[in-house]
Amino acid sequence: MKYVYGAIAVALAFVLAFNTGEGSKISDMTVVQAIAADRENGEYLLTIQYLDLNRGSGKTDGLASSLTSNAQGRGSTLKEAYTNLKKTLPDSLFFGQAKIIVLSEKLSPSDIKAIKDELYGNKKLRTDMLVSQSKTAYTVLECGFRNERVPIDGICKELRRENALVFVNELEGNNAQLPEIVINGDSGYVIPAPPRG
C-alpha cells in the first residue's frame, strides 16, 4: 500500500509541475493540434489547427462536429508570421499536443532550412511530430476528414495506416522523403498519394 501512495504522490507531482511550469492553465491556452507552413506572394503563411472548446458544445452542434478551428498569420519572415498568428488569438499558444506539421511543396530549400532550425531550436515544439507535404499545406488543415472531432487525428491515422511516417527529428539528415498528402475534391478526404516512381 505504501508503494501505491508513493506512486500517487509522484503522479500528482508531475501534474502540478506540468500545469504550473509556464504559469498558465491549459484552459487559458490555445492548444495546437497541427501546423501548416506555406509561401504565398513572397510571404510565409503559418496556419494552425487548434482545439476550440466553444465549438461542439452548442445544441445545434452534432456529435460529429469538429472541436477545432484554424488561425493564420503572414509575414516576410517566419518570426513575423508567427507573431501575426499569435495576434489573431486571445490566449498563448501551447504546442505540446501538436501532432503534425505540413510543409508546402512551394517552400524553397532555404525555407525548409529556416523551418527546421525553428523546429530544432524551439523547446515548445515537439520533435516527434509527424511531417508531411502537400501542394498547399493550409488546405490540408481546412479539409474535414471523415467527421473526426479533431480532423487532423484522421489524417495522422491515415498516415499511420499507410506506414507513411516521417518525424521532425528525422529531418535533420535531409534524406527523409516526406509523404505527400493529397486532397480528394470529390470526397473531401485527405489521403497519402501513392509512392512516386
Side-chain angles (χ1 to χ4, degrees), residues 56-194:
S57 58
K59 290 180 181 178
T60 58
D61 294 332
L63 290 176
S65 63
S66 173
L67 291 175
T68 64
S69 292
N70 292 343
Q72 290 185 326
R74 292 178 179 273
S76 57
T77 64
L78 276 174
K79 185 174 183 176
E80 185 180 338
Y82 178 70
T83 299
N84 290 333
L85 169 65
K86 287 194 310 185
K87 288 178 184 176
T88 67
L89 298 161
D91 300 319
S92 61
L93 296 173
F94 176 71
F95 290 95
Q97 293 295 315
K99 299 169 182 77
I100 190 170
I101 180 165
V102 184
L103 303 175
S104 169
E105 292 175 356
K106 297 173 189 168
L107 294 169
S108 70
S110 63
D111 294 332
I112 300 289
K113 183 185 180 322
I115 290 168
K116 281 167 49 174
D117 290 346
E118 181 62 31
L119 289 170
Y120 291 126
N122 190 332
K123 302 257 188 264
K124 295 180 180 181
L125 294 171
R126 295 168 40 181
T127 57
D128 65 344
M129 284 190 295
L130 294 174
V131 185
S132 61
Q133 67 180 355
S134 188
K135 185 175 180 180
T136 309
Y138 71 84
T139 58
V140 173
L141 273 56
E142 291 177 346
C143 184
F145 191 90
R146 300 182 186 162
N147 297 320
E148 293 271 354
R149 300 286 276 165
V150 178
I152 210 67
D153 285 348
I155 295 166
C156 292
K157 285 176 194 171
E158 189 76 7
L159 288 169
R160 283 188 174 86
R161 189 179 68 76
E162 296 290 330
N163 200 26
L165 305 175
V166 175
F167 299 94
V168 166
N169 56 10
E170 296 173 322
L171 284 178
E172 199 162 9
N174 286 327
N175 295 328
Q177 172 133 8
L178 297 179
E180 185 177 2
I181 297 176
V182 179
I183 297 176
N184 181 334
D186 294 333
S187 64
Y189 286 4
V190 180
I191 56 172

